[in-house]
């Protein structure tokens, strides 16, 4: 640790899974954490998708240091083989962990800025010997705290990406906000279900969240005539479009893709490929018409669900020196390991403080925020990150450099610069798998097992 203010706490931004785990590791090492959570309770972001079931089991969702901290309270770990919802994760693990951390966690505290005391980002002189200063707001007004290090685990939940393929909101997207959501809707809630039942809904996106939305809309369509989804993809369709299927080492993740394919095959959704949204307009009846960069205009829809990914909020870090990849906004050393332009096999090498370090010593982005705009983050990745980072802060480089994690593969390969290419399947042209998967014929009702085999061919993603 370069800074010398060892009597100060380590500020952790965000009381989500990675942030609370970081606090547990700091406590285990005798270092005082101060967790600042913007929401009204711990795990506020997780609670906002409480209806969504995770594709990781309980065995992959709890941190070892957190378990040790919880053990004396009589806490019992849920069945390691079962799959919790976001609500389960928050209530049965994250909230009890926040409770045992007690005054180390402050909720309703929104961080507005991080800097070196008396040094803006320009100043070199005596910089690294100065403690960090963290400004935050509460209901009582502005406050500040000094810190020996800062771990930003604030995630990306509050900054979803727009529908516009340029990365900017499509023309008319903001004006159509009353018909657009950027979350997977809870279709078990009668009020929310009524918004989509019997309606035509566009789902924009190609990841697990889009799969979930398509599958749940298909369930509504079985009971509510007229319910239909239009699945909008910027790329083409190939075997890997639907994930790894049975080849995914996280079976529930593979099943999501197969459920999305079933929604299309069974006629509950249509797939529109190679479509890059440029504008969202209203027709004479107030319905939404999506216009593409290629001049295509889709039939009107009643609602739009935009699930095009998330991005980090870096605004409050403007006075510290970050080393971020120009594409992903992830730490420079980590970016090549997770860049979907290069690969998407899910075989991310375990990484820690060295890959997460920045030109500003003592600042770390961990958890989902460390991935920037890259997809497919796993909780166990975040737990390994904070184990390594907290060891480095404590000066235990032997532990910090040790690899203690093997990540499951997705069963999906891709790369060679073809990410998001509408003219090519995600895995065409190489990456880490040799054979390119066969094209899937949409709507022919192919058995799910066949799709899974097509998506699992060979290489590091194979069976």
């Amino acid at each position: 640790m370069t800074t010398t203010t060892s009597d100060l706490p380590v500020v952790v931004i965000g009381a989500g899974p990675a942030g609370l785990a970081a606090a547990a590791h700091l406590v285990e090492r005798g270092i005082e954490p101060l967790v600042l959570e913007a929401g009204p309770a711990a795990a506020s972001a997780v609670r906002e998708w409480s209806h969504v079931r995770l594709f990781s089991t309980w065995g992959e969702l709890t941190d070892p240091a957190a378990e040790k901290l919880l053990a004396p309270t009589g806490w019992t770990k849920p069945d390691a083989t079962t799959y919790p919802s976001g609500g389960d994760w928050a209530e049965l693990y994250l909230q009890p962990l926040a409770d045992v951390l007690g005054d180390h966690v402050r909720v309703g505290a929104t961080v507005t800025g991080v800097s070196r005391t008396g040094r803006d980002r320009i100043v070199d002189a005596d910089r690294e010997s100065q403690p960090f200063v963290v400004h935050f707001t509460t209901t009582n007004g502005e406050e500040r705290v000094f810190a020996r290090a800062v771990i930003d685990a604030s995630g990306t939940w509050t900054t979803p990406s727009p529908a516009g393929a340029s990365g900017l909101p499509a023309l008319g997207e903001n004006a159509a906000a009353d018909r657009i959501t950027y979350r997977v809707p809870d279709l078990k809630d009668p009020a929310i279900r009524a918004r989509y039942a019997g309606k035509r809904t566009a789902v924009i996106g190609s990841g697990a969240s889009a799969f979930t939305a398509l599958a749940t809309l298909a369930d509504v369509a079985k009971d509510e005539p007229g319910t239909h989804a239009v699945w909008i993809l910027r790329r083409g369709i190939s075997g890997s479009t639907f994930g790894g299927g049975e080849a995914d080492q996280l079976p529930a993740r593979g099943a999501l893709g197969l459920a999305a394919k079933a929604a299309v095959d069974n006629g509950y959704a249509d797939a529109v490929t190679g479509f890059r949204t440029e504008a969202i307009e209203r027709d004479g009846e107030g319905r939404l018409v999506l216009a593409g960069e290629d001049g295509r205009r889709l039939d009107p829809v009643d609602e739009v669900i935009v699930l095009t990914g998330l991005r980090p909020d870096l605004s409050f870090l403007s006075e510290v020196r970050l080393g971020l990849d120009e594409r992903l906004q992830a730490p420079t050393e980590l970016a090549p390991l997770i860049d979907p332009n290069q690969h998407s096999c899910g075989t991310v090498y375990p990484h820690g403080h060295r890959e997460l370090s920045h030109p500003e010593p003592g600042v770390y982005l961990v958890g989902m925020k460390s991935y920037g705009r890259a997809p497919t983050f796993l909780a166990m990745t975040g737990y390994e990150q904070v184990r390594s980072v907290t060891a480095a802060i404590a000066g235990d480089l032997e532990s910090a450099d040790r690899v203690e994690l093997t990540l499951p593969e997705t069963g999906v390969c891709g790369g060679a610069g073809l990410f998001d290419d509408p003219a090519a399947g995600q895995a065409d042209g190489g990456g880490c798998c040799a054979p390119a998967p066969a094209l899937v014929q949409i709507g022919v009702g192919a058995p799910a097992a066949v799709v899974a085999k097509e998506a699992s061919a060979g290489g590091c993603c194979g069976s």
Side-chain angles (χ1 to χ4, degrees):
M1 184 65 191
T2 305
T3 54
T4 58
T5 51
S6 58
D7 56 322
L8 295 175
V10 172
V11 166
V12 179
I13 306 173
L20 292 173
H25 280 273
L26 289 166
V27 168
E28 186 175 53
R29 289 185 171 275
I31 299 173
E32 180 187 357
L34 176 60
V35 183
L36 300 177
E37 165 59 44
S44 291
V46 174
R47 295 175 196 274
E48 290 194 27
W49 48 270
S50 60
H51 59 288
V52 177
R53 192 159 299 281
L54 286 91
F55 50 64
S56 296
T57 64
W58 270 115
E60 298 150 343
L61 293 172
T62 59
D63 175 82
E67 290 185 21
K68 291 178 185 177
L69 200 60
L70 284 164
T73 70
W75 177 82
T76 302
K77 183 175 180 176
D79 183 346
T81 64
T82 59
Y83 296 90
S85 66
D88 296 333
W89 200 17
E91 293 302 325
L92 300 179
Y93 168 64
L94 297 172
Q95 186 60 55
L97 179 54
D99 290 342
V100 77
L101 286 165
D103 292 341
H104 293 306
V105 178
R106 289 191 62 179
V107 299
T110 302
V111 173
T112 57
V114 179
S115 187
R116 291 280 189 181
T117 303
R119 307 288 187 275
D120 64 20
R121 68 181 295 154
I122 299 174
V123 179
D124 288 335
D126 200 29
R127 184 179 189 85
E128 293 182 7
S129 66
Q130 302 303 312
F132 291 96
V133 59
V134 180
H135 286 215
F136 59 99
T137 59
T138 69
T139 54
N140 296 322
E142 291 183 278
E143 298 185 39
R144 70 175 181 179
V145 64
F146 298 99
R148 62 185 287 186
V150 176
I151 300 174
D152 183 356
S154 59
T156 55
W157 177 254
T158 60
T159 46
S161 296
S166 63
L168 303 173
L171 294 177
E173 182 173 345
N174 293 333
D178 61 318
R179 297 288 186 93
I180 301 175
T181 183
Y182 299 85
R183 314 296 188 199
V184 176
D186 181 3
L187 296 179
K188 293 182 179 179
D189 182 318
I192 297 175
R193 184 184 179 94
R195 177 174 172 175
Y196 299 93
K199 306 289 182 61
R200 181 176 168 87
T201 299
V203 177
I204 306 176
S206 59
S209 294
F211 295 163
T212 302
L214 290 165
T216 54
L217 284 169
D219 286 340
V220 173
K222 294 172 185 177
D223 303 320
E224 302 283 354
T227 305
H228 196 76
V230 181
W231 186 19
I232 298 173
L233 300 107
R234 296 171 183 169
R235 66 189 72 177
I237 293 283
S238 75
S240 62
T241 297
F242 300 97
E246 295 175 353
D248 195 320
Q249 292 183 5
L250 294 178
R253 180 171 60 187
L256 278 177
L258 299 181
K261 183 182 187 301
V264 176
D265 287 345
N266 293 329
Y268 298 123
D270 298 320
V272 178
T273 61
F275 190 91
R276 296 174 178 269
T277 306
E278 183 177 63
I280 299 177
E281 304 165 357
R282 290 188 189 266
D283 68 4
E285 299 178 357
R287 303 177 81 199
L288 301 183
V289 176
L290 275 62
E293 292 180 350
D294 57 3
R296 279 185 288 171
R297 293 169 59 85
L298 304 184
D299 290 339
V301 297
D302 301 288
E303 299 285 343
V304 178
I305 302 174
V306 180
L307 300 167
T308 53
L310 303 162
R311 55 183 60 176
D313 177 7
L314 301 168
S315 60
F316 58 85
L317 299 173
S318 62
E319 293 307 314
V320 291
R321 299 171 176 179
L322 300 180
L324 298 174
D325 178 74
E326 67 273 13
R327 294 182 300 277
L328 299 184
Q329 295 179 297
T332 305
E333 295 298 318
L334 174 61
L337 305 180
I338 60 176
D339 188 349
N341 285 293
Q342 299 183 30
H343 67 87
S344 58
C345 282
T347 312
V348 178
Y349 293 102
H351 54 275
H353 74 110
R354 296 195 185 278
E355 292 84 0
L356 298 170
S357 64
H358 294 276
E360 190 81 70
V363 172
Y364 300 94
L365 276 58
V366 302
M368 286 191 67
K369 191 162 187 176
S370 72
Y371 267 39
R373 299 190 183 201
T376 321
F377 185 82
L378 298 175
M380 64 183 94
T381 300
Y383 297 154
E384 172 66 3
Q385 288 178 339
V386 299
R387 183 203 64 77
S388 173
V389 163
T390 54
I393 291 172
D396 184 358
L397 293 183
E398 180 181 356
S399 176
D401 288 335
R402 190 166 57 240
V403 172
E404 297 185 2
L405 175 68
T406 301
L407 293 171
E409 295 176 1
T410 64
V412 179
C413 292
L418 296 176
F419 178 73
D420 221 20
D421 185 345
Q426 189 178 3
D428 298 347
C432 56
C433 297
L439 291 178
V440 174
Q441 297 299 313
I442 297 297
V444 298
V450 174
V451 181
K453 288 179 181 177
E454 288 174 346
S456 68
C460 66
C461 304
S463 56

